[in-house]
Amino acid sequence: MSHFTPETRTRAQQLVALYPKPRSALIPLCHLAQGEDGWLRPEAMEEIAELVGVTPAEVRGTATFYDMLDIEPAATYRVSICTNVACLLDGALELLAHAEARLGVPIGGATHDGTFALEEAECLADCDFAPCVQVNHRFVRAQTADAFDQLVEDLGAGKLAATIPPHGTLQRVARNRGLVVDPERVAAERAAVARAQAERASAQDAR
Amino acid sequence: MAVTDAPRIVTARLHHEDSHTLERFLATGGYDGLRKALAMTPEAVAAEVDAASLLGRGGAGFPAGRKWSMLRKAPVTYLVVNGDESEPATFKDHLLIEGDPHQIVEGTIIAAYAVQASQVFIYVRGEFALGLERMQQAVNDAYDAGAIGNDIFSSGFSVDVVVHPGAGAYICGDETGLLESLEGKRGFPRIKPPYFPAVMGLYGQPTVVNNVETMSNLPWIILHGGAAFAALGAGRSTGTRLFALSGHVRRPGAFEVEMVKTTFRDLIYAPLYGGGIRGGGELKAFIPGGASSPWFGPAELDLALGQDEVQAAGSMLGSGSVVVMDQSTCLVRVAWRITKFFARESCGQCTPCREGSGWLERILYRIEHGSGRAEDLEVLLDVCDNISPGLHWPPEQTTICPLGPSIPPSINSALTMGRDEFLVHIKEGGCPLG
């Protein structure tokens, strides 16, 4: 039985078809599943495994390598505060301490109602607006304690819902071109890759 | 203060509010470079890029044209564009991905045509949600405009572009780690040899991996010629480069400057760029090229922003990020934070990196937080020496990827510049700077 809705499953199959090898779609499919459920449910990982032709353990083993993929339920808003070098010089540790106090959670924790999670992030590449803050991987540029408090208030009041979707939804712009791929072309390309790999393997055996 | 009159090559469009849209792109000469390239032979396009002597803008600074020429002849080859910008204090690719995604697409198709790639993947860092949306929108729109897909601009050349999201791992910025990630695996960098993805890359096929800023330079190079690009800058460092300036400057930001003709002093102090040290402070030190580069002090301010010039002075331009520290900065704390970053991002394959980074981080933490021991400085250097013997520059490579040997330089720099600071921390049982 499919965990994904029929629409999501079709979308997943389209993503798989974009790549010369199905496994390449593993991370995009994890993002897709997180967009549906907010985190990677075991059922979703099983279905991803089936779609890309690996075991569920391989999906889990891959997902756990990446900071953005959650194999446990996650809060609606993930607040990430960078404390890496550029932000460190601009008061990031102080802002992080303020965030802990304001949200009432330690770093790595989440509020009891599941609204906010707080994480200490590595460089988020927005250092000209240090200290850098993201909510669900969207830059919010709340550089001071006051701006941070306002941010938390606005998020809680649902004022930012239009710009910051719930955790798990990464991309709201989906690929909508070139999705009808020529199965023959895909098959030919996959065969060429397989042939090349077989040749390499036999060459190695010969050695 | 030298601010040269070099043209803006990669940031020309960014002052427009709608610089990311197809409309703005087409209204400002967008895809003209691609049209011109498609009228040339692939060899002629590659020759133009070779003539420009464009150095890769990702961090290693390998000549782009040479990378292409190393591509093994095979029926299936790939082009992968590296937009996984995660090097601490580097934020230039972020700017280009969000601000001018069509320029990246245009450069990418030019490169794909030059190397006759079968398929293109643009790997965008997962934490760039807006960047991913802008990049995907640009690719969707470029399909409609005939710049991607079948028979591009009626040239007979066809190629598909897939925007691929990362999921949060610094190590995937390493080109072989990125390829593993793109294959749907953990981002473990690959054992070398083979040294170059051009020989064995994605799915074992010949692959070119280029940075997004490198791609962004290509439309201009094709339109104005490689010679015009090579006329900018000097020596091996040609053209302009986008530098990300952060830390204690009045105007942090990403600035496109002419290479070699501009110095660190220009970048940090010119009113058009950094505008000097914030609050009238004194410069204590600066990091010239990312977390792995040895630090410089005021004595190196007049050094030219050129790859070989900085290398000869004992550091590197790396990813093009400059972090400025004023006299109030605690060097112990900075070294600790950078080391903590490496400890967190080490993929764990190689012992020196996995174990060494954690030990170093804990020792630096205890010094900064008041539990330092007299013998700690020796232990720090000893562990660093185990990770990269000799502690010279460039560092001895002992691990699968360069992450491990990238750990010692900041510690070594902090110790060289501020040994007394470390000693005061240990003697007084804490950070004197609070």
Side-chain angles (χ1 to χ4, degrees):
Chain A
M1 206 186 73
S2 174
H3 169 70
F4 291 146
T5 62
E7 296 76 40
T8 307
R9 190 166 168 92
T10 304
R11 180 81 207 149
Q13 286 165 331
Q14 287 172 338
L15 288 175
V16 171
L18 289 175
Y19 296 92
K21 292 211 165 189
R23 183 166 181 165
S24 282
L26 193 150
I27 290 168
L29 292 194
C30 286
H31 284 306
L32 186 71
Q34 288 204 152
E36 295 285 298
D37 302 324
W39 61 292
L40 280 175
R41 291 181 168 279
E43 310 88 276
M45 287 194 273
E46 278 173 31
E47 187 154 357
I48 292 169
E50 177 243 313
L51 281 159
V52 305
V54 299
T55 65
E58 282 174 293
V59 175
R60 190 189 168 92
T62 305
T64 51
F65 184 80
Y66 296 94
D67 290 344
M68 290 173 66
L69 302 178
D70 297 288
I71 58 162
E72 283 170 14
T76 312
Y77 293 117
R78 171 164 305 170
V79 178
S80 313
I81 300 181
C82 170
T83 60
N84 207 313
V85 57
C87 291
L88 179 84
L89 297 177
D90 265 325
L93 292 177
E94 293 74 10
L95 186 67
L96 185 65
H98 174 79
E100 281 186 283
R102 175 66 184 78
L103 296 173
V105 295
I107 298 162
T111 54
H112 289 302
D113 64 357
T115 306
F116 294 103
L118 179 64
E119 93 175 344
E120 180 179 10
E122 293 302 341
C123 184
L124 296 167
D126 203 35
C127 321
D128 42 351
F129 294 90
C132 179
V133 182
Q134 276 193 336
V135 177
N136 295 349
H137 307 298
R138 278 153 214 280
F139 295 100
V140 289
R141 297 187 172 164
Q143 295 163 261
T144 62
D146 287 345
F148 186 83
D149 291 347
Q150 187 65 48
L151 170 74
V152 172
E153 207 169 290
D154 289 349
L155 283 168
K159 283 189 194 164
L160 299 176
T163 46
I164 303 174
H167 174 72
T169 301
L170 183 59
Q171 255 178 280
R172 293 162 304 170
V173 178
R175 181 185 171 107
N176 56 17
R177 298 293 184 278
L179 287 173
V180 187
V181 284
D182 178 4
E184 276 180 36
R185 197 192 66 102
V186 172
E189 196 168 298
R190 286 187 183 163
V193 172
R195 224 173 15 249
Q197 285 178 338
E199 275 168 24
R200 222 174 16 253
S202 66
Q204 265 169 4
D205 286 347
R207 249 188 284 147
Chain B
M1 220 54 78
V3 175
T4 70
D5 55 6
R8 289 176 156 217
I9 293 177
V10 297
T11 58
R13 240 171 247 113
L14 295 183
H15 61 283
H16 295 289
E17 191 77 7
D18 60 350
S19 61
H20 59 284
T21 63
L22 180 65
E23 293 69 35
R24 175 61 65 190
F25 190 67
L26 293 176
T28 48
Y31 291 118
D32 288 355
L34 175 57
R35 286 175 193 277
K36 185 175 174 188
L38 291 170
M40 300 158 65
T41 64
E43 294 75 22
V45 173
E48 212 59 62
V49 175
D50 228 3
S53 99
L54 171 66
L55 300 179
R57 300 301 198 232
F62 197 81
R66 238 186 90 208
K67 213 174 205 180
W68 295 359
S69 69
M70 287 161 55
L71 195 68
R72 186 165 58 82
K73 292 270 174 288
V76 180
T77 58
Y78 298 108
L79 170 65
V80 176
V81 179
N82 186 344
D84 191 44
E85 183 179 59
S86 329
E87 183 66 26
T90 310
F91 50 98
K92 59 179 186 72
D93 294 345
H94 171 210
L95 191 76
L96 294 173
I97 291 167
E98 279 186 10
D100 205 344
H102 278 287
Q103 181 172 255
I104 298 169
V105 170
E106 182 177 9
T108 296
I109 304 296
I110 291 171
Y113 176 70
V115 302
Q116 292 289 295
S118 322
Q119 196 173 0
V120 176
F121 300 93
I122 302 181
Y123 189 111
V124 177
R125 182 174 177 189
E127 285 90 341
F128 296 164
L130 181 64
L132 276 160
E133 290 176 348
R134 293 252 171 103
M135 201 70 230
Q136 187 59 64
Q137 190 64 52
V139 167
N140 288 348
D141 292 345
Y143 265 99
D144 289 347
I148 301 178
N150 285 322
D151 195 16
I152 295 169
F153 293 146
S154 311
S155 65
F157 178 65
S158 303
V159 76
D160 178 39
V161 176
V162 174
V163 178
H164 186 92
Y170 168 72
I171 198 66
C172 295
D174 172 87
E175 62 183 7
T176 61
L178 184 139
L179 293 175
E180 287 289 300
S181 179
L182 190 48
E183 289 188 6
K185 301 169 188 163
R186 296 184 147 226
F188 286 148
R190 293 176 180 170
I191 293 171
K192 289 92 181 162
Y195 289 100
F196 297 105
V199 177
M200 192 188 277
L202 189 64
Y203 316 120
Q205 294 301 108
T207 304
V208 168
V209 184
N210 279 149
N211 168 267
V212 297
E213 188 190 347
T214 312
M215 293 292 98
S216 299
N217 277 289
L218 298 180
W220 194 95
I221 289 173
I222 295 302
L223 278 176
H224 298 84
F229 190 87
L232 300 167
R236 274 203 331 132
S237 301
T238 58
T240 62
R241 193 167 170 185
L242 195 47
F243 285 92
L245 181 66
S246 64
H248 297 140
V249 284
R250 284 205 179 88
R251 302 178 64 229
F255 304 105
E256 181 174 356
V257 306
E258 184 173 0
M259 293 193 82
V260 188
K261 306 279 174 60
T262 318
T263 64
F264 283 107
R265 186 187 297 280
D266 300 332
L267 186 66
I268 295 170
Y269 288 94
L272 192 63
Y273 305 141
I277 308 297
R278 198 183 296 167
E282 297 274 316
L283 176 75
K284 183 170 185 174
F286 61 98
I287 308 176
S292 18
S293 61
W295 305 351
F296 283 151
E300 281 90 9
L301 272 175
D302 291 311
L303 204 57
L305 293 168
Q307 190 157 301
D308 294 340
E309 290 77 357
V310 176
Q311 182 78 26
S315 188
M316 65 170 181
L317 271 191
S319 58
S321 65
V322 177
V323 182
V324 175
M325 303 180 250
D326 72 10
Q327 80 288 344
S328 73
T329 310
C330 170
L331 298 185
V332 181
R333 188 182 301 186
V334 173
W336 160 65
R337 188 58 186 84
I338 290 174
T339 307
K340 180 178 168 182
F341 161 76
F342 283 122
R344 188 166 162 181
E345 298 295 341
S346 171
C347 81
Q349 285 190 103
C350 312
T351 312
C353 172
R354 181 188 63 238
E355 301 300 318
S357 61
W359 293 346
L360 292 168
E361 191 267 322
R362 289 194 291 276
I363 296 168
L364 287 163
Y365 179 89
R366 77 175 176 227
I367 296 174
E368 171 65 9
H369 292 86
S371 312
R373 303 167 194 170
E375 65 273 22
D376 274 352
L377 303 194
E378 283 314 304
V379 181
L380 279 176
L381 286 173
D382 186 44
V383 176
C384 283
D385 189 72
N386 271 290
I387 295 175
S388 186
L391 297 181
H392 47 69
W393 185 261
E396 203 69 46
Q397 297 295 315
T398 51
T399 47
I400 293 173
C401 86
L403 193 146
S406 295
I407 304 167
S410 61
I411 299 172
N412 203 17
S413 294
L415 270 169
T416 309
M417 290 178 149
R419 196 177 183 91
D420 291 347
E421 258 183 63
F422 279 80
L423 294 174
V424 170
H425 274 76
I426 293 168
K427 189 156 164 262
E428 295 185 358
C431 181
L433 294 158

